Amino acid sequence: MWTIPPSFPLYNSILSSSPPTPHSRFSHIAIILLSIKKREREAMPEAPKESQKATEHEYDVAEKNKKTLQFIEDVTTNADQVQKRVLAEILSRNAHVEYLKRNGLNGHTDRETFKKIMPVVTYEDIQPDITRVANGDKSPILCSQPISEFLTSSGTSGGERKLMPTIEEELGRRSLLYSLLMPVINQFVPGLDKGKGMYFLFIKSEAKTPGGLVARPVLTSYYKSSHFKNRPYDPYTNYTSPNETILCLDSYQSMYSQMLCGLCQNKEVLRVGAVFASGFIRAIRFLEKHWTLLCKDIRTGTLNTQITDPSVREAVMKLLQPDPELADFIEAECSRESWQGIITRLWPNTKYVDVIVTGTMSQYIPTLDYYSNGLPLVCTMYASSECYFGVNLNPLCKPSEVSYTLVPTMAYFEFLPVHRNNGGINSISMPKSLNEKEQQELVDLVDVKVGQEYELVVTTYAGLYRYRVGDVLRVAGFKNNAPQFNFICRKNVVLSIDSDKTDEVELQNAVKNAVTHLMPFDAHLTEYTSYADTTTIPGHYILYWELNIHGSTPIPPSVYEDCCLTVEESLNTVYRQNRVCESIGPLEIKIVEAGTFDKLMDYAISLGASINQYKTPRCVKFAPIVELLNSRVISSNFSPKCPKWTPGHKQWINMTGRT
Ligand code: AMP
């Protein structure tokens, strides 16, 4: 077995083979860093000059940062050995689980046998096993360690959220990835330990599977864990939002109190953010709607009576002081006609906006630029419910150049080369299961080629083996021996506003259900396409419909509204949840003039599309095409109400009822 070189103390600690427990080696990198720091200090006769002047706290931060960066150097330099070791560790621990035995792995832990024997799978392939676990089968089906909960992915299968198994120790691995972020940023933006981060973080409702396991989004699981709630003081996780405000399930109370706390501490804020760009914009929109109430609270030092959660009230009241001067200032800024640069005006010491703007979130870049007066938009990490993947080592780069370095200790990574047809990925229908030849095409982390696109395949500590995540990545370069990837897209997803991911098939079905309302009018849908409109806040889906109407009775607007609602009711649970919690606005159907889609085809052909192969795109993004469609709209119709949504899979009993 590969042994860890003694010169990698941190790496050594992280990968040492002590038995995994909730407080295992992965439980918090800070502990490891601290013990190394202590060891090294003992060996150090004299501290460097600067540190003598620095306070103990400053010394700690600098030293921790250095160790973390060294960890990144070590694992990226030894990427292949680390990967080999990670796979061997996963396979040896799980040698006796049913899934590996069923596939005939017979206790082998080497890459060659694993790749020869184990199939590359999608969620649908492992769904029967997942369902067994969800229904209460506690035997080791996928993983030798108990499945502690399910993480509900924003990806869907059959309209329901996917359930990703996880184990207790994965929380430690997630914490580890988080702990890499600030030392990296600190190299480019020093001094962030001298102030606070204003982050809008939220939990969502959880459900219980019939077998009694909790099913919830990965961030809800993380924020509710002791890794987050009981984190030791660290200047880099010093947020303006008290934990109680983040852990409040009521989205209005949570947002209001987080915004209030952020405003009260406005001078201390050095960075602002949310997980995804859409969430941050929602917070600004909330401020636009509620600033008068917020100013009243700041002026008087009393809290809005709509904040009824006692723990939230108590936490906020610890920070809230009557401050008429601050209230005047906020009022003056918010009542100005233009909200351009509102971030830098209200939080004048902000150095950057920390939000993901890669992938579909790139549609929000212009809005963020407007509100932040062009502050750097920093995408720090790439992660999913299946596994946290990697970090951006060059955080101040342009959003279009962001690349993520996959951290080799997180999971065992493989890459399936993507071959584009006509430049489109979304239009390819990938085979459900790969044949033997295709399985052999998968390459290891260190073997990917610059410029080539790949689909990410992971083998995790929590029981996923050669699992296709569904993301397409392009190799941008290497950090030592570890590749850095641009996020290209999520396969098959056509529409996304927030965490929703709607694919072409779901859209097609939803449209098919909706057009039944047109039948009494002898009207038929001849063509349609869609567009994720993010110029409204929140953004919303637009469908462009071209109709062939034979009947003589005019179609009343209420019928089109019924069509809108039926589309929404037919879309997946993530879409409907986002609608209910107002992260997505009402769906719009725009009826376009006859002949519009012919014009669309003419335009595509004028740009070089082949007339034989032309297919109407089921989603459009290119501005001139959207303009063309909009120039031929006859009527606009919106969904009159929210579609139905309840937490958990349809058949489960809900634990809680609110988002
Ligand atoms: P979920 O499993 O619901 O947490 O969603 C994870 C998915 O979100 C990933 O597989 C990606 O498709 C997307 N995602 C996560 N991080 C990023 C990122 N930094 N840039 C673009 N897309 C991301």
Side-chain angles (χ1 to χ4, degrees), residues 429-652:
S429 67
M430 297 289 278
K432 270 264 171 271
S433 52
L434 299 179
N435 62 36
E436 217 172 289
K437 187 172 161 286
E438 286 164 323
Q439 297 231 15
Q440 282 163 10
E441 281 187 27
L442 265 75
V443 295
D444 275 325
L445 183 68
V446 297
D447 295 328
V448 296
K449 301 275 170 284
V450 173
Q452 168 73 48
E453 287 177 5
Y454 298 91
E455 194 191 322
L456 179 62
V457 175
V458 290
T459 297
T460 68
Y461 282 88
L464 298 176
Y465 304 91
R466 311 196 87 188
Y467 178 86
R468 294 168 74 172
V469 173
D471 289 344
V472 176
L473 311 174
R474 185 192 297 131
V475 185
F478 278 81
K479 161 75 178 170
N480 297 320
N481 293 309
Q484 304 183 295
F485 294 94
N486 303 130
F487 182 92
I488 301 301
C489 66
R490 177 107 182 162
K491 245 177 45 209
N492 302 330
V493 168
V494 284
L495 289 166
S496 175
I497 293 286
D498 194 81
S499 58
D500 53 306
K501 298 176 173 69
T502 298
D503 70 30
E504 208 170 311
V505 177
E506 282 173 332
L507 183 64
Q508 170 76 29
N509 279 337
V511 168
K512 195 178 87 201
N513 292 341
V515 293
T516 54
H517 295 291
L518 302 177
M519 269 152 54
F521 300 90
D522 203 6
H524 304 274
L525 183 66
T526 53
E527 274 295 7
Y528 76 92
T529 192
S530 63
Y531 174 63
D533 184 4
T534 53
T535 57
T536 57
I537 302 175
H540 71 293
Y541 289 10
I542 300 180
L543 303 186
Y544 292 92
W545 282 12
E546 185 173 323
L547 301 178
N548 192 351
I549 304 172
H550 296 294
S552 51
T553 322
I555 303 174
S558 64
V559 171
Y560 291 127
E561 288 178 4
D562 290 344
C563 292
C564 292
L565 188 59
T566 302
V567 172
E568 294 202 299
E569 295 283 8
S570 309
L571 290 175
N572 63 63
T573 181
V574 183
Y575 174 86
R576 287 179 283 115
Q577 180 180 10
N578 276 308
R579 272 286 282 129
V580 170
C581 66
E582 296 179 6
S583 323
I584 301 181
L587 182 136
E588 182 179 6
I589 293 180
K590 291 187 175 183
I591 308 297
V592 294
E593 288 166 18
T596 300
F597 280 81
D598 285 341
K599 289 266 180 281
L600 201 74
M601 179 171 79
D602 293 345
Y603 185 73
I605 288 164
S606 77
L607 294 179
S610 147
I611 195 154
N612 293 321
Q613 289 170 327
Y614 179 81
K615 281 202 282 158
T616 303
R618 289 300 171 221
C619 176
V620 295
K621 293 187 175 76
F622 188 46
I625 291 195
V626 179
E627 266 167 43
L628 187 154
L629 289 164
N630 281 336
S631 69
R632 304 176 72 93
V633 170
I634 306 169
S635 77
S636 271
N637 312 274
F638 288 90
S639 207
K641 58 180 186 190
C642 275
K644 289 186 214 73
W645 175 81
T646 45
H649 281 208
K650 267 186 234 138
Q651 66 273 31
W652 299 351

Side-chain angles (χ1 to χ4, degrees), residues 166-357:
T166 193
I167 53 177
E168 196 68 38
E169 70 167 48
E170 277 294 296
L171 276 166
R173 239 170 242 113
R174 281 175 221 133
S175 300
L176 185 143
L177 199 103
Y178 283 127
S179 74
L180 307 180
L181 307 179
M182 292 310 291
V184 169
I185 294 182
N186 177 65
Q187 299 171 103
F188 305 90
V189 190
L192 292 171
D193 53 325
K194 308 287 186 299
K196 294 192 178 188
M198 180 180 70
Y199 284 83
F200 295 97
L201 306 176
F202 301 93
I203 58 161
K204 292 205 171 179
S205 58
E206 37 191 61
K208 255 195 183 169
T209 70
L213 285 171
V214 172
R216 55 190 176 186
V218 62
L219 292 173
T220 300
S221 162
Y222 185 74
Y223 300 146
K224 285 185 153 187
S225 75
S226 58
H227 289 255
F228 181 80
K229 282 197 299 193
N230 307 329
R231 60 193 185 275
Y233 173 80
D234 178 336
Y236 288 150
T237 54
N238 192 2
Y239 304 128
T240 52
S241 298
N243 286 355
E244 293 80 356
T245 62
I246 295 169
L247 296 171
C248 172
L249 200 49
D250 182 293
S251 56
Y252 173 83
Q253 294 189 49
S254 178
M255 179 72 96
Y256 188 93
S257 53
Q258 293 194 53
M259 185 60 82
L260 186 60
C261 295
L263 287 168
C264 290
Q265 304 169 76
N266 74 325
K267 295 269 168 52
E268 288 171 68
V269 170
L270 300 184
R271 55 202 166 105
V272 299
V275 179
F276 288 108
S278 53
F280 189 73
I281 289 171
R282 201 144 32 97
I284 301 301
R285 177 78 188 134
F286 185 92
L287 179 63
E288 266 184 280
K289 268 193 182 162
H290 301 286
W291 61 264
T292 33
L293 213 49
L294 289 156
C295 285
K296 183 172 159 275
D297 287 355
I298 295 171
R299 184 178 309 286
T300 56
T302 58
L303 183 56
N304 171 0
T305 51
Q306 289 173 78
I307 310 304
T308 52
D309 183 320
S311 61
V312 174
R313 287 195 74 86
E314 194 187 326
V316 175
M317 286 315 291
K318 281 188 194 148
L319 289 168
L320 193 62
Q321 305 272 344
D323 190 343
E325 208 180 308
L326 179 62
D328 283 346
F329 165 74
I330 298 168
E331 218 164 69
E333 291 301 336
C334 292
S335 42
R336 271 159 68 169
E337 203 177 314
S338 162
W339 269 49
Q340 184 167 9
I342 194 73
I343 309 279
T344 40
R345 289 198 263 133
L346 294 179
W347 294 277
N349 300 317
T350 308
K351 295 185 161 61
Y352 64 87
V353 183
D354 183 348
V355 282
I356 291 175
V357 284

Side-chain angles (χ1 to χ4, degrees), residues 153-154 356 358 381-385 404 469 471 487 490 501:
S153 152
S154 56
I356 291 175
T358 42
M381 63 187 275
Y382 168 44
S384 79
S385 318
Y404 300 102
V469 173
D471 289 344
F487 182 92
R490 177 107 182 162
K501 298 176 173 69

Side-chain angles (χ1 to χ4, degrees), residues 86-119:
V86 165
L87 181 65
E89 196 173 24
I90 294 172
L91 298 182
S92 57
R93 277 183 190 188
N94 296 311
H96 300 295
V97 306
E98 188 184 319
Y99 185 80
L100 293 186
K101 283 206 282 193
R102 194 193 305 149
N103 281 288
L105 196 61
N106 281 335
H108 287 279
T109 61
D110 61 294
R111 272 197 273 213
E112 295 65 34
T113 316
F114 176 72
K115 282 168 176 268
K116 210 158 89 198
I117 304 257
M118 294 302 294

